[in-house]
PDB file of all heavy atoms in Angstrom:
ATOM      1  N   PRO A 190      -1.416  13.910   8.686  1.00  0.00           N
ATOM      2  CA  PRO A 190      -2.821  13.481   8.661  1.00  0.00           C
ATOM      3  C   PRO A 190      -3.252  12.764   9.930  1.00  0.00           C
ATOM      4  O   PRO A 190      -2.430  12.175  10.650  1.00  0.00           O
ATOM      5  CB  PRO A 190      -2.846  12.515   7.476  1.00  0.00           C
ATOM      6  CG  PRO A 190      -1.476  11.928   7.454  1.00  0.00           C
ATOM      7  CD  PRO A 190      -0.552  13.053   7.866  1.00  0.00           C
ATOM      8  N   ASP A 191      -4.541  12.817  10.180  1.00  0.00           N
ATOM      9  CA  ASP A 191      -5.146  12.000  11.229  1.00  0.00           C
ATOM     10  C   ASP A 191      -5.556  10.641  10.676  1.00  0.00           C
ATOM     11  O   ASP A 191      -5.480   9.635  11.386  1.00  0.00           O
ATOM     12  CB  ASP A 191      -6.378  12.708  11.803  1.00  0.00           C
ATOM     13  CG  ASP A 191      -6.031  14.062  12.376  1.00  0.00           C
ATOM     14  OD1 ASP A 191      -5.341  14.102  13.411  1.00  0.00           O
ATOM     15  OD2 ASP A 191      -6.423  15.084  11.775  1.00  0.00           O
ATOM     16  N   VAL A 192      -6.019  10.625   9.441  1.00  0.00           N
ATOM     17  CA  VAL A 192      -6.464   9.397   8.778  1.00  0.00           C
ATOM     18  C   VAL A 192      -5.906   9.378   7.367  1.00  0.00           C
ATOM     19  O   VAL A 192      -5.906  10.403   6.680  1.00  0.00           O
ATOM     20  CB  VAL A 192      -8.008   9.291   8.736  1.00  0.00           C
ATOM     21  CG1 VAL A 192      -8.451   8.089   7.908  1.00  0.00           C
ATOM     22  CG2 VAL A 192      -8.575   9.194  10.149  1.00  0.00           C
ATOM     23  N   VAL A 193      -5.439   8.207   6.926  1.00  0.00           N
ATOM     24  CA  VAL A 193      -4.963   8.028   5.562  1.00  0.00           C
ATOM     25  C   VAL A 193      -5.665   6.814   4.958  1.00  0.00           C
ATOM     26  O   VAL A 193      -5.683   5.738   5.565  1.00  0.00           O
ATOM     27  CB  VAL A 193      -3.442   7.817   5.503  1.00  0.00           C
ATOM     28  CG1 VAL A 193      -2.984   7.633   4.056  1.00  0.00           C
ATOM     29  CG2 VAL A 193      -2.714   8.991   6.147  1.00  0.00           C
ATOM     30  N   VAL A 194      -6.227   6.987   3.772  1.00  0.00           N
ATOM     31  CA  VAL A 194      -6.829   5.887   3.022  1.00  0.00           C
ATOM     32  C   VAL A 194      -5.890   5.526   1.875  1.00  0.00           C
ATOM     33  O   VAL A 194      -5.476   6.402   1.110  1.00  0.00           O
ATOM     34  CB  VAL A 194      -8.214   6.272   2.460  1.00  0.00           C
ATOM     35  CG1 VAL A 194      -8.791   5.114   1.644  1.00  0.00           C
ATOM     36  CG2 VAL A 194      -9.164   6.659   3.587  1.00  0.00           C
ATOM     37  N   ILE A 195      -5.563   4.253   1.755  1.00  0.00           N
ATOM     38  CA  ILE A 195      -4.712   3.757   0.665  1.00  0.00           C
ATOM     39  C   ILE A 195      -5.572   2.901  -0.246  1.00  0.00           C
ATOM     40  O   ILE A 195      -6.077   1.858   0.166  1.00  0.00           O
ATOM     41  CB  ILE A 195      -3.518   2.952   1.196  1.00  0.00           C
ATOM     42  CG1 ILE A 195      -2.673   3.799   2.149  1.00  0.00           C
ATOM     43  CG2 ILE A 195      -2.669   2.436   0.043  1.00  0.00           C
ATOM     44  CD1 ILE A 195      -1.555   3.027   2.826  1.00  0.00           C
ATOM     45  N   PHE A 196      -5.743   3.363  -1.477  1.00  0.00           N
ATOM     46  CA  PHE A 196      -6.567   2.628  -2.445  1.00  0.00           C
ATOM     47  C   PHE A 196      -5.732   2.428  -3.703  1.00  0.00           C
ATOM     48  O   PHE A 196      -5.725   3.261  -4.611  1.00  0.00           O
ATOM     49  CB  PHE A 196      -7.845   3.421  -2.761  1.00  0.00           C
ATOM     50  CG  PHE A 196      -8.943   2.582  -3.371  1.00  0.00           C
ATOM     51  CD1 PHE A 196     -10.121   2.383  -2.690  1.00  0.00           C
ATOM     52  CD2 PHE A 196      -8.795   1.998  -4.618  1.00  0.00           C
ATOM     53  CE1 PHE A 196     -11.141   1.608  -3.230  1.00  0.00           C
ATOM     54  CE2 PHE A 196      -9.786   1.221  -5.169  1.00  0.00           C
ATOM     55  CZ  PHE A 196     -10.968   1.026  -4.465  1.00  0.00           C
ATOM     56  N   VAL A 197      -5.018   1.316  -3.757  1.00  0.00           N
ATOM     57  CA  VAL A 197      -4.123   1.057  -4.881  1.00  0.00           C
ATOM     58  C   VAL A 197      -3.853  -0.446  -4.933  1.00  0.00           C
ATOM     59  O   VAL A 197      -3.963  -1.133  -3.918  1.00  0.00           O
ATOM     60  CB  VAL A 197      -2.806   1.855  -4.736  1.00  0.00           C
ATOM     61  CG1 VAL A 197      -1.970   1.334  -3.582  1.00  0.00           C
ATOM     62  CG2 VAL A 197      -2.006   1.872  -6.024  1.00  0.00           C
ATOM     63  N   GLY A 198      -3.507  -0.926  -6.122  1.00  0.00           N
ATOM     64  CA  GLY A 198      -3.166  -2.338  -6.259  1.00  0.00           C
ATOM     65  C   GLY A 198      -3.709  -2.988  -7.509  1.00  0.00           C
ATOM     66  O   GLY A 198      -3.090  -3.889  -8.067  1.00  0.00           O
ATOM     67  N   MET A 199      -4.878  -2.541  -7.974  1.00  0.00           N
ATOM     68  CA  MET A 199      -5.466  -3.189  -9.144  1.00  0.00           C
ATOM     69  C   MET A 199      -4.630  -2.958 -10.395  1.00  0.00           C
ATOM     70  O   MET A 199      -4.550  -3.836 -11.263  1.00  0.00           O
ATOM     71  CB  MET A 199      -6.900  -2.705  -9.358  1.00  0.00           C
ATOM     72  CG  MET A 199      -7.880  -3.218  -8.312  1.00  0.00           C
ATOM     73  SD  MET A 199      -7.933  -5.023  -8.156  1.00  0.00           S
ATOM     74  CE  MET A 199      -8.670  -5.473  -9.733  1.00  0.00           C
ATOM     75  N   ASN A 200      -3.987  -1.802 -10.503  1.00  0.00           N
ATOM     76  CA  ASN A 200      -3.102  -1.585 -11.659  1.00  0.00           C
ATOM     77  C   ASN A 200      -1.923  -2.551 -11.645  1.00  0.00           C
ATOM     78  O   ASN A 200      -1.433  -2.953 -12.703  1.00  0.00           O
ATOM     79  CB  ASN A 200      -2.598  -0.140 -11.694  1.00  0.00           C
ATOM     80  CG  ASN A 200      -3.683   0.840 -12.101  1.00  0.00           C
ATOM     81  OD1 ASN A 200      -4.502   0.541 -12.959  1.00  0.00           O
ATOM     82  ND2 ASN A 200      -3.700   1.997 -11.474  1.00  0.00           N
ATOM     83  N   ASP A 201      -1.473  -2.919 -10.455  1.00  0.00           N
ATOM     84  CA  ASP A 201      -0.386  -3.896 -10.363  1.00  0.00           C
ATOM     85  C   ASP A 201      -0.797  -5.234 -10.980  1.00  0.00           C
ATOM     86  O   ASP A 201       0.026  -5.902 -11.618  1.00  0.00           O
ATOM     87  CB  ASP A 201       0.008  -4.105  -8.896  1.00  0.00           C
ATOM     88  CG  ASP A 201       0.714  -2.898  -8.311  1.00  0.00           C
ATOM     89  OD1 ASP A 201       0.027  -2.004  -7.782  1.00  0.00           O
ATOM     90  OD2 ASP A 201       1.947  -2.841  -8.390  1.00  0.00           O
ATOM     91  N   THR A 202      -2.056  -5.619 -10.783  1.00  0.00           N
ATOM     92  CA  THR A 202      -2.493  -6.925 -11.279  1.00  0.00           C
ATOM     93  C   THR A 202      -2.514  -6.997 -12.797  1.00  0.00           C
ATOM     94  O   THR A 202      -2.528  -8.090 -13.361  1.00  0.00           O
ATOM     95  CB  THR A 202      -3.902  -7.266 -10.756  1.00  0.00           C
ATOM     96  OG1 THR A 202      -4.874  -6.375 -11.330  1.00  0.00           O
ATOM     97  CG2 THR A 202      -3.972  -7.177  -9.235  1.00  0.00           C
ATOM     98  N   LEU A 203      -2.514  -5.844 -13.459  1.00  0.00           N
ATOM     99  CA  LEU A 203      -2.640  -5.812 -14.919  1.00  0.00           C
ATOM    100  C   LEU A 203      -1.296  -5.738 -15.619  1.00  0.00           C
ATOM    101  O   LEU A 203      -1.254  -5.672 -16.852  1.00  0.00           O
ATOM    102  CB  LEU A 203      -3.504  -4.611 -15.335  1.00  0.00           C
ATOM    103  CG  LEU A 203      -4.889  -4.540 -14.689  1.00  0.00           C
ATOM    104  CD1 LEU A 203      -5.605  -3.261 -15.129  1.00  0.00           C
ATOM    105  CD2 LEU A 203      -5.724  -5.766 -15.051  1.00  0.00           C
ATOM    106  N   ARG A 204      -0.190  -5.740 -14.874  1.00  0.00           N
ATOM    107  CA  ARG A 204       1.132  -5.576 -15.464  1.00  0.00           C
ATOM    108  C   ARG A 204       1.871  -6.910 -15.514  1.00  0.00           C
ATOM    109  O   ARG A 204       1.722  -7.760 -14.631  1.00  0.00           O
ATOM    110  CB  ARG A 204       1.956  -4.561 -14.671  1.00  0.00           C
ATOM    111  CG  ARG A 204       1.316  -3.191 -14.569  1.00  0.00           C
ATOM    112  CD  ARG A 204       1.167  -2.517 -15.934  1.00  0.00           C
ATOM    113  NE  ARG A 204       0.772  -1.131 -15.810  1.00  0.00           N
ATOM    114  CZ  ARG A 204      -0.484  -0.704 -15.784  1.00  0.00           C
ATOM    115  NH1 ARG A 204      -1.463  -1.581 -15.848  1.00  0.00           N
ATOM    116  NH2 ARG A 204      -0.754   0.586 -15.690  1.00  0.00           N
ATOM    117  N   SER A 205       2.711  -7.057 -16.537  1.00  0.00           N
ATOM    118  CA  SER A 205       3.439  -8.310 -16.719  1.00  0.00           C
ATOM    119  C   SER A 205       4.473  -8.547 -15.624  1.00  0.00           C
ATOM    120  O   SER A 205       4.875  -9.687 -15.384  1.00  0.00           O
ATOM    121  CB  SER A 205       4.124  -8.326 -18.088  1.00  0.00           C
ATOM    122  OG  SER A 205       5.046  -7.243 -18.206  1.00  0.00           O
ATOM    123  N   ASP A 206       4.909  -7.477 -14.953  1.00  0.00           N
ATOM    124  CA  ASP A 206       5.914  -7.629 -13.901  1.00  0.00           C
ATOM    125  C   ASP A 206       5.288  -7.678 -12.506  1.00  0.00           C
ATOM    126  O   ASP A 206       5.936  -7.328 -11.514  1.00  0.00           O
ATOM    127  CB  ASP A 206       6.941  -6.500 -13.975  1.00  0.00           C
ATOM    128  CG  ASP A 206       6.312  -5.121 -13.770  1.00  0.00           C
ATOM    129  OD1 ASP A 206       5.071  -5.016 -13.810  1.00  0.00           O
ATOM    130  OD2 ASP A 206       7.068  -4.142 -13.587  1.00  0.00           O
ATOM    131  N   PHE A 207       4.053  -8.119 -12.435  1.00  0.00           N
ATOM    132  CA  PHE A 207       3.367  -8.226 -11.143  1.00  0.00           C
ATOM    133  C   PHE A 207       4.201  -9.040 -10.161  1.00  0.00           C
ATOM    134  O   PHE A 207       4.638 -10.153 -10.448  1.00  0.00           O
ATOM    135  CB  PHE A 207       2.004  -8.893 -11.343  1.00  0.00           C
ATOM    136  CG  PHE A 207       1.259  -9.153 -10.063  1.00  0.00           C
ATOM    137  CD1 PHE A 207       0.704  -8.101  -9.353  1.00  0.00           C
ATOM    138  CD2 PHE A 207       1.103 -10.446  -9.586  1.00  0.00           C
ATOM    139  CE1 PHE A 207       0.004  -8.338  -8.182  1.00  0.00           C
ATOM    140  CE2 PHE A 207       0.410 -10.690  -8.419  1.00  0.00           C
ATOM    141  CZ  PHE A 207      -0.149  -9.637  -7.713  1.00  0.00           C
ATOM    142  N   ASP A 208       4.421  -8.451  -8.986  1.00  0.00           N
ATOM    143  CA  ASP A 208       5.280  -9.079  -7.979  1.00  0.00           C
ATOM    144  C   ASP A 208       4.652  -8.865  -6.599  1.00  0.00           C
ATOM    145  O   ASP A 208       4.828  -7.808  -5.985  1.00  0.00           O
ATOM    146  CB  ASP A 208       6.681  -8.471  -8.030  1.00  0.00           C
ATOM    147  CG  ASP A 208       7.647  -9.136  -7.067  1.00  0.00           C
ATOM    148  OD1 ASP A 208       7.202  -9.916  -6.211  1.00  0.00           O
ATOM    149  OD2 ASP A 208       8.858  -8.859  -7.165  1.00  0.00           O
ATOM    150  N   PRO A 209       3.920  -9.852  -6.082  1.00  0.00           N
ATOM    151  CA  PRO A 209       3.243  -9.659  -4.794  1.00  0.00           C
ATOM    152  C   PRO A 209       4.195  -9.476  -3.629  1.00  0.00           C
ATOM    153  O   PRO A 209       3.839  -8.831  -2.632  1.00  0.00           O
ATOM    154  CB  PRO A 209       2.404 -10.933  -4.640  1.00  0.00           C
ATOM    155  CG  PRO A 209       3.042 -11.940  -5.535  1.00  0.00           C
ATOM    156  CD  PRO A 209       3.626 -11.169  -6.675  1.00  0.00           C
ATOM    157  N   VAL A 210       5.404 -10.018  -3.727  1.00  0.00           N
ATOM    158  CA  VAL A 210       6.378  -9.842  -2.639  1.00  0.00           C
ATOM    159  C   VAL A 210       6.825  -8.385  -2.567  1.00  0.00           C
ATOM    160  O   VAL A 210       6.872  -7.774  -1.484  1.00  0.00           O
ATOM    161  CB  VAL A 210       7.584 -10.774  -2.842  1.00  0.00           C
ATOM    162  CG1 VAL A 210       8.649 -10.498  -1.788  1.00  0.00           C
ATOM    163  CG2 VAL A 210       7.145 -12.232  -2.802  1.00  0.00           C
ATOM    164  N   ARG A 211       7.132  -7.806  -3.706  1.00  0.00           N
ATOM    165  CA  ARG A 211       7.527  -6.393  -3.733  1.00  0.00           C
ATOM    166  C   ARG A 211       6.352  -5.502  -3.345  1.00  0.00           C
ATOM    167  O   ARG A 211       6.517  -4.494  -2.632  1.00  0.00           O
ATOM    168  CB  ARG A 211       8.032  -6.020  -5.130  1.00  0.00           C
ATOM    169  CG  ARG A 211       8.572  -4.595  -5.225  1.00  0.00           C
ATOM    170  CD  ARG A 211       9.218  -4.365  -6.577  1.00  0.00           C
ATOM    171  NE  ARG A 211       8.246  -4.542  -7.668  1.00  0.00           N
ATOM    172  CZ  ARG A 211       8.573  -4.586  -8.950  1.00  0.00           C
ATOM    173  NH1 ARG A 211       9.845  -4.502  -9.320  1.00  0.00           N
ATOM    174  NH2 ARG A 211       7.649  -4.732  -9.872  1.00  0.00           N
ATOM    175  N   LEU A 212       5.158  -5.859  -3.810  1.00  0.00           N
ATOM    176  CA  LEU A 212       3.967  -5.087  -3.459  1.00  0.00           C
ATOM    177  C   LEU A 212       3.763  -5.068  -1.951  1.00  0.00           C
ATOM    178  O   LEU A 212       3.488  -4.021  -1.355  1.00  0.00           O
ATOM    179  CB  LEU A 212       2.758  -5.681  -4.180  1.00  0.00           C
ATOM    180  CG  LEU A 212       1.414  -4.978  -4.037  1.00  0.00           C
ATOM    181  CD1 LEU A 212       0.592  -5.164  -5.318  1.00  0.00           C
ATOM    182  CD2 LEU A 212       0.618  -5.506  -2.855  1.00  0.00           C
ATOM    183  N   ARG A 213       3.913  -6.236  -1.332  1.00  0.00           N
ATOM    184  CA  ARG A 213       3.772  -6.313   0.129  1.00  0.00           C
ATOM    185  C   ARG A 213       4.809  -5.446   0.821  1.00  0.00           C
ATOM    186  O   ARG A 213       4.487  -4.734   1.791  1.00  0.00           O
ATOM    187  CB  ARG A 213       3.893  -7.762   0.580  1.00  0.00           C
ATOM    188  CG  ARG A 213       3.926  -7.937   2.089  1.00  0.00           C
ATOM    189  CD  ARG A 213       4.065  -9.392   2.464  1.00  0.00           C
ATOM    190  NE  ARG A 213       4.345  -9.564   3.881  1.00  0.00           N
ATOM    191  CZ  ARG A 213       4.489 -10.743   4.488  1.00  0.00           C
ATOM    192  NH1 ARG A 213       4.379 -11.856   3.783  1.00  0.00           N
ATOM    193  NH2 ARG A 213       4.744 -10.802   5.778  1.00  0.00           N
ATOM    194  N   ALA A 214       6.041  -5.472   0.335  1.00  0.00           N
ATOM    195  CA  ALA A 214       7.093  -4.669   0.959  1.00  0.00           C
ATOM    196  C   ALA A 214       6.800  -3.176   0.827  1.00  0.00           C
ATOM    197  O   ALA A 214       7.000  -2.402   1.783  1.00  0.00           O
ATOM    198  CB  ALA A 214       8.439  -5.002   0.323  1.00  0.00           C
ATOM    199  N   ASP A 215       6.310  -2.754  -0.335  1.00  0.00           N
ATOM    200  CA  ASP A 215       5.988  -1.341  -0.531  1.00  0.00           C
ATOM    201  C   ASP A 215       4.823  -0.911   0.361  1.00  0.00           C
ATOM    202  O   ASP A 215       4.848   0.174   0.955  1.00  0.00           O
ATOM    203  CB  ASP A 215       5.645  -1.070  -1.999  1.00  0.00           C
ATOM    204  CG  ASP A 215       6.865  -1.093  -2.902  1.00  0.00           C
ATOM    205  OD1 ASP A 215       7.961  -0.742  -2.428  1.00  0.00           O
ATOM    206  OD2 ASP A 215       6.722  -1.448  -4.084  1.00  0.00           O
ATOM    207  N   LEU A 216       3.810  -1.760   0.462  1.00  0.00           N
ATOM    208  CA  LEU A 216       2.672  -1.429   1.321  1.00  0.00           C
ATOM    209  C   LEU A 216       3.103  -1.389   2.779  1.00  0.00           C
ATOM    210  O   LEU A 216       2.714  -0.469   3.522  1.00  0.00           O
ATOM    211  CB  LEU A 216       1.546  -2.442   1.126  1.00  0.00           C
ATOM    212  CG  LEU A 216       0.302  -2.237   2.007  1.00  0.00           C
ATOM    213  CD1 LEU A 216      -0.331  -0.873   1.743  1.00  0.00           C
ATOM    214  CD2 LEU A 216      -0.714  -3.358   1.791  1.00  0.00           C
ATOM    215  N   ALA A 217       3.892  -2.356   3.202  1.00  0.00           N
ATOM    216  CA  ALA A 217       4.336  -2.392   4.599  1.00  0.00           C
ATOM    217  C   ALA A 217       5.139  -1.150   4.953  1.00  0.00           C
ATOM    218  O   ALA A 217       4.954  -0.553   6.033  1.00  0.00           O
ATOM    219  CB  ALA A 217       5.159  -3.654   4.850  1.00  0.00           C
ATOM    220  N   ALA A 218       6.032  -0.736   4.061  1.00  0.00           N
ATOM    221  CA  ALA A 218       6.843   0.451   4.329  1.00  0.00           C
ATOM    222  C   ALA A 218       5.981   1.705   4.376  1.00  0.00           C
ATOM    223  O   ALA A 218       6.194   2.587   5.222  1.00  0.00           O
ATOM    224  CB  ALA A 218       7.920   0.591   3.255  1.00  0.00           C
ATOM    225  N   THR A 219       5.003   1.789   3.480  1.00  0.00           N
ATOM    226  CA  THR A 219       4.107   2.954   3.450  1.00  0.00           C
ATOM    227  C   THR A 219       3.281   3.041   4.723  1.00  0.00           C
ATOM    228  O   THR A 219       3.187   4.100   5.364  1.00  0.00           O
ATOM    229  CB  THR A 219       3.184   2.880   2.216  1.00  0.00           C
ATOM    230  OG1 THR A 219       3.985   2.872   1.036  1.00  0.00           O
ATOM    231  CG2 THR A 219       2.231   4.065   2.175  1.00  0.00           C
ATOM    232  N   VAL A 220       2.687   1.916   5.121  1.00  0.00           N
ATOM    233  CA  VAL A 220       1.845   1.906   6.313  1.00  0.00           C
ATOM    234  C   VAL A 220       2.685   2.191   7.562  1.00  0.00           C
ATOM    235  O   VAL A 220       2.275   2.960   8.439  1.00  0.00           O
ATOM    236  CB  VAL A 220       1.103   0.562   6.438  1.00  0.00           C
ATOM    237  CG1 VAL A 220       0.391   0.464   7.786  1.00  0.00           C
ATOM    238  CG2 VAL A 220       0.098   0.400   5.307  1.00  0.00           C
ATOM    239  N   ALA A 221       3.856   1.593   7.644  1.00  0.00           N
ATOM    240  CA  ALA A 221       4.709   1.817   8.822  1.00  0.00           C
ATOM    241  C   ALA A 221       5.100   3.281   8.955  1.00  0.00           C
ATOM    242  O   ALA A 221       5.103   3.843  10.063  1.00  0.00           O
ATOM    243  CB  ALA A 221       5.954   0.932   8.736  1.00  0.00           C
ATOM    244  N   ALA A 222       5.416   3.924   7.833  1.00  0.00           N
ATOM    245  CA  ALA A 222       5.781   5.343   7.881  1.00  0.00           C
ATOM    246  C   ALA A 222       4.606   6.200   8.350  1.00  0.00           C
ATOM    247  O   ALA A 222       4.782   7.128   9.150  1.00  0.00           O
ATOM    248  CB  ALA A 222       6.258   5.801   6.501  1.00  0.00           C
ATOM    249  N   LEU A 223       3.426   5.872   7.887  1.00  0.00           N
ATOM    250  CA  LEU A 223       2.243   6.638   8.289  1.00  0.00           C
ATOM    251  C   LEU A 223       1.898   6.392   9.752  1.00  0.00           C
ATOM    252  O   LEU A 223       1.566   7.322  10.493  1.00  0.00           O
ATOM    253  CB  LEU A 223       1.061   6.267   7.391  1.00  0.00           C
ATOM    254  CG  LEU A 223       1.202   6.678   5.923  1.00  0.00           C
ATOM    255  CD1 LEU A 223       0.142   5.990   5.066  1.00  0.00           C
ATOM    256  CD2 LEU A 223       1.111   8.191   5.765  1.00  0.00           C
ATOM    257  N   ARG A 224       1.988   5.146  10.194  1.00  0.00           N
ATOM    258  CA  ARG A 224       1.669   4.828  11.582  1.00  0.00           C
ATOM    259  C   ARG A 224       2.672   5.469  12.537  1.00  0.00           C
ATOM    260  O   ARG A 224       2.325   5.803  13.674  1.00  0.00           O
ATOM    261  CB  ARG A 224       1.647   3.306  11.786  1.00  0.00           C
ATOM    262  CG  ARG A 224       0.426   2.614  11.226  1.00  0.00           C
ATOM    263  CD  ARG A 224      -0.855   3.014  11.963  1.00  0.00           C
ATOM    264  NE  ARG A 224      -0.766   2.693  13.368  1.00  0.00           N
ATOM    265  CZ  ARG A 224      -1.077   3.532  14.352  1.00  0.00           C
ATOM    266  NH1 ARG A 224      -1.494   4.770  14.085  1.00  0.00           N
ATOM    267  NH2 ARG A 224      -0.980   3.146  15.609  1.00  0.00           N
ATOM    268  N   SER A 225       3.903   5.655  12.083  1.00  0.00           N
ATOM    269  CA  SER A 225       4.912   6.262  12.957  1.00  0.00           C
ATOM    270  C   SER A 225       4.566   7.700  13.308  1.00  0.00           C
ATOM    271  O   SER A 225       5.074   8.235  14.300  1.00  0.00           O
ATOM    272  CB  SER A 225       6.289   6.194  12.293  1.00  0.00           C
ATOM    273  OG  SER A 225       6.365   7.085  11.188  1.00  0.00           O
ATOM    274  N   THR A 226       3.712   8.329  12.513  1.00  0.00           N
ATOM    275  CA  THR A 226       3.281   9.691  12.801  1.00  0.00           C
ATOM    276  C   THR A 226       2.009   9.721  13.647  1.00  0.00           C
ATOM    277  O   THR A 226       1.548  10.803  14.011  1.00  0.00           O
ATOM    278  CB  THR A 226       3.013  10.462  11.494  1.00  0.00           C
ATOM    279  OG1 THR A 226       1.828   9.947  10.866  1.00  0.00           O
ATOM    280  CG2 THR A 226       4.187  10.344  10.543  1.00  0.00           C
ATOM    281  N   GLY A 227       1.426   8.552  13.910  1.00  0.00           N
ATOM    282  CA  GLY A 227       0.183   8.479  14.664  1.00  0.00           C
ATOM    283  C   GLY A 227      -1.056   8.444  13.805  1.00  0.00           C
ATOM    284  O   GLY A 227      -2.173   8.394  14.338  1.00  0.00           O
ATOM    285  N   ALA A 228      -0.902   8.465  12.487  1.00  0.00           N
ATOM    286  CA  ALA A 228      -2.072   8.444  11.599  1.00  0.00           C
ATOM    287  C   ALA A 228      -2.757   7.088  11.648  1.00  0.00           C
ATOM    288  O   ALA A 228      -2.106   6.045  11.744  1.00  0.00           O
ATOM    289  CB  ALA A 228      -1.654   8.766  10.170  1.00  0.00           C
ATOM    290  N   HIS A 229      -4.074   7.107  11.598  1.00  0.00           N
ATOM    291  CA  HIS A 229      -4.857   5.883  11.449  1.00  0.00           C
ATOM    292  C   HIS A 229      -4.937   5.573   9.956  1.00  0.00           C
ATOM    293  O   HIS A 229      -5.243   6.460   9.150  1.00  0.00           O
ATOM    294  CB  HIS A 229      -6.257   6.069  12.027  1.00  0.00           C
ATOM    295  CG  HIS A 229      -7.040   4.799  12.135  1.00  0.00           C
ATOM    296  ND1 HIS A 229      -6.883   3.915  13.170  1.00  0.00           N
ATOM    297  CD2 HIS A 229      -7.972   4.254  11.310  1.00  0.00           C
ATOM    298  CE1 HIS A 229      -7.697   2.895  13.000  1.00  0.00           C
ATOM    299  NE2 HIS A 229      -8.363   3.066  11.872  1.00  0.00           N
ATOM    300  N   VAL A 230      -4.671   4.330   9.569  1.00  0.00           N
ATOM    301  CA  VAL A 230      -4.568   3.956   8.167  1.00  0.00           C
ATOM    302  C   VAL A 230      -5.690   2.995   7.802  1.00  0.00           C
ATOM    303  O   VAL A 230      -5.988   2.053   8.552  1.00  0.00           O
ATOM    304  CB  VAL A 230      -3.201   3.310   7.869  1.00  0.00           C
ATOM    305  CG1 VAL A 230      -3.096   2.934   6.393  1.00  0.00           C
ATOM    306  CG2 VAL A 230      -2.073   4.264   8.262  1.00  0.00           C
ATOM    307  N   LEU A 231      -6.305   3.225   6.650  1.00  0.00           N
ATOM    308  CA  LEU A 231      -7.339   2.338   6.110  1.00  0.00           C
ATOM    309  C   LEU A 231      -6.862   1.785   4.778  1.00  0.00           C
ATOM    310  O   LEU A 231      -6.431   2.540   3.898  1.00  0.00           O
ATOM    311  CB  LEU A 231      -8.663   3.094   5.921  1.00  0.00           C
ATOM    312  CG  LEU A 231      -9.267   3.725   7.181  1.00  0.00           C
ATOM    313  CD1 LEU A 231     -10.543   4.473   6.825  1.00  0.00           C
ATOM    314  CD2 LEU A 231      -9.543   2.677   8.249  1.00  0.00           C
ATOM    315  N   VAL A 232      -6.931   0.476   4.626  1.00  0.00           N
ATOM    316  CA  VAL A 232      -6.522  -0.185   3.390  1.00  0.00           C
ATOM    317  C   VAL A 232      -7.673  -1.042   2.869  1.00  0.00           C
ATOM    318  O   VAL A 232      -8.681  -1.232   3.555  1.00  0.00           O
ATOM    319  CB  VAL A 232      -5.267  -1.055   3.606  1.00  0.00           C
ATOM    320  CG1 VAL A 232      -4.075  -0.184   3.999  1.00  0.00           C
ATOM    321  CG2 VAL A 232      -5.522  -2.130   4.663  1.00  0.00           C
TER     322      VAL A 232
END
C-alpha cells in the first residue's frame, strides 16, 4: 500500500482484559511493519 488507515481500539476498551501496554506494543509493531515498506500510516 501507499497509505494505510488503522481504525481500531474501541473494542479493546470494552473487554475485561483491557491492557494498554499490550495495545501499545501491538500498534507499534503494526505501524513499524507498515512504515518499513514505505507506506504512509494514519491512526
Side-chain angles (χ1 to χ4, degrees):
D191 301 291
V192 174
V193 180
V194 178
I195 302 174
F196 199 115
V197 69
M199 289 304 292
N200 287 322
D201 290 89
T202 67
L203 305 177
R204 302 297 190 270
S205 60
D206 61 347
F207 175 72
D208 183 349
V210 175
R211 185 172 61 190
L212 184 148
R213 173 181 169 179
D215 287 329
L216 178 60
T219 300
V220 171
L223 294 167
R224 285 294 301 132
S225 71
T226 70
H229 190 81
V230 181
L231 301 178
V232 296

